[in-house]
Amino acid sequence: MIVLQNISKYYYTDTSVTQALRKINLEFKIGEFVAITGESGSGKSTLLNVISGMDAFDDGEMFFCGEPTFQYDAADWENFRRNEIGFVFQNYSLIGHYTTLENIKSALLIMGYQEEEAARQAVTYLEKVGLKGMEKQRASELSSGQKQRLSIARALAMNPEVMLFDEPTSALDPEMVGEVLDLMKELAEDGMTMVAVTHEMGFAREVGTRVLFMDEGVVLEQNTPYEFFSSPQMDRTKEFLSKVL
Ligand code: ADP
Ligand code: MG
């Protein structure tokens, strides 16, 4: 569904240039759950930001459903981000003083839904992520796990083709991690196409259809979870796994 061909991305500062992505070639197919791991600074977030259309790339081409994106103008990218991609961040990006219901409803209103239908759908999505009965709670008053489940609900409500997660459990209180991973597992089982940057290797092994290891802006290794964890090929992958497993 999404194909990256020779994608490169540079960050320029006054004094330096960082190549965050180096000629990345990747394909994400419908129904896949790709788990991405790697050291801090290896380009994982940059990759997700490029896939989501939030960040422009400098070289190469990205295809969506077989169509090249080189002809996308600003409005097309806006449309792509809004309609095709659900993005879940480490730090939720919720509106704290809004209720759980309003957080989802406001997104649906922007999408053009009428008031009543937006409210109805918001309730359905709250239910889906296990927040039924909490419609009137302010987002700021939720536990870290509930906040993340709410941000997943809001992303799902936009009915995206693919869900992207950037370290969705790294900011959570440890006892809340399980409830968010369980929800992600449910989505994967429902057939949702997902790409997640995560260091939860047990989860990646159990739920992922593919695991990808990034190192210095390249995809150094990718394989089925079984192969990836049982016989990693590259020294850098082995070294990384020996630290996180
Ligand atoms: P990861 O998510 O794997 O930790 P990132 O994609 O955030 O890695 O970063 C990849 C590289 O790009 C790092 O060297 C980082 O310092 C650099 N980088 C990321 N974002 C910016 C930015 N906005 N400006 C300058 N450099 C950046
Ligand atoms: Mg990151």
Side-chain angles (χ1 to χ4, degrees):
M1 166 161 41
I2 293 175
V3 174
L4 305 181
Q5 264 179 12
N6 283 316
I7 291 280
S8 292
K9 164 87 188 164
Y10 304 84
Y11 288 111
Y12 299 91
T13 65
D14 288 344
T15 52
S16 69
V17 181
T18 306
Q19 190 171 2
L21 299 177
R22 300 171 187 264
K23 293 187 180 279
I24 299 266
N25 288 290
L26 270 179
E27 180 167 2
F28 300 98
K29 295 208 174 79
I30 291 174
E32 268 198 304
F33 180 8
V34 180
I36 301 177
T37 192
E39 303 279 1
S40 174
S42 57
K44 305 181 299 295
S45 293
T46 305
L47 179 65
L48 282 196
N49 292 343
V50 162
I51 297 171
S52 71
M54 289 199 313
D55 251 357
F57 45 90
D58 296 299
D59 272 317
E61 182 55 308
M62 176 165 118
F63 296 79
F64 180 66
C65 294
E67 298 289 325
T69 57
F70 70 83
Q71 84 284 22
Y72 278 23
D73 60 18
D76 292 327
W77 281 116
E78 173 69 29
N79 211 31
F80 175 77
R81 287 191 293 270
R82 190 174 281 179
N83 296 316
E84 317 293 358
I85 303 289
F87 208 135
V88 176
F89 302 91
Q90 190 174 328
N91 291 314
Y92 329 116
S93 70
L94 296 166
I95 303 170
H97 64 279
Y98 275 20
T99 65
T100 63
L101 186 94
E102 287 163 350
N103 265 280
I104 303 179
K105 209 180 95 179
S106 58
L108 289 165
L109 291 176
I110 293 172
M111 295 277 285
Y113 284 90
Q114 297 301 308
E115 185 77 22
E116 217 168 286
E117 177 62 11
R120 197 186 64 76
Q121 289 220 15
V123 171
T124 310
Y125 283 100
L126 284 173
E127 211 165 300
K128 173 146 186 73
V129 302
L131 294 174
K132 191 178 164 148
M134 304 191 74
E135 290 80 4
K136 294 191 171 136
Q137 292 255 343
R138 285 178 196 278
S140 58
E141 292 163 354
L142 300 176
S143 73
S144 62
Q146 288 169 334
K147 280 180 188 155
Q148 196 56 302
R149 284 188 282 137
L150 176 58
S151 60
I152 292 173
R154 195 182 49 180
L156 285 174
M158 316 297 274
N159 195 25
E161 292 298 319
V162 49
M163 288 279 287
L164 308 178
F165 299 82
D166 195 353
E167 306 203 28
T169 60
S170 358
L172 302 186
D173 304 317
E175 68 275 19
M176 308 282 170
V177 169
E179 62 187 58
V180 170
L181 295 181
D182 284 348
L183 172 58
M184 290 171 68
K185 183 177 174 190
E186 246 174 67
L187 298 179
E189 286 167 351
D190 285 350
M192 175 62 80
T193 307
M194 309 209 289
V195 182
V197 173
T198 179
H199 301 299
E200 297 287 340
M201 294 291 104
F203 172 72
R205 189 192 319 235
E206 185 196 355
V207 183
T209 56
R210 188 159 40 123
V211 182
L212 246 152
F213 177 70
M214 287 196 70
D215 191 47
E216 299 190 352
V218 302
V219 177
L220 193 65
E221 183 161 355
Q222 54 174 321
N223 218 324
T224 60
Y226 180 80
E227 291 291 335
F228 182 86
F229 290 109
S230 61
S231 53
Q233 299 297 305
M234 311 298 285
D235 288 343
R236 294 280 288 167
T237 316
K238 287 176 203 163
E239 189 189 322
F240 177 79
L241 289 177
S242 74
K243 281 189 288 181
V244 297
L245 285 180

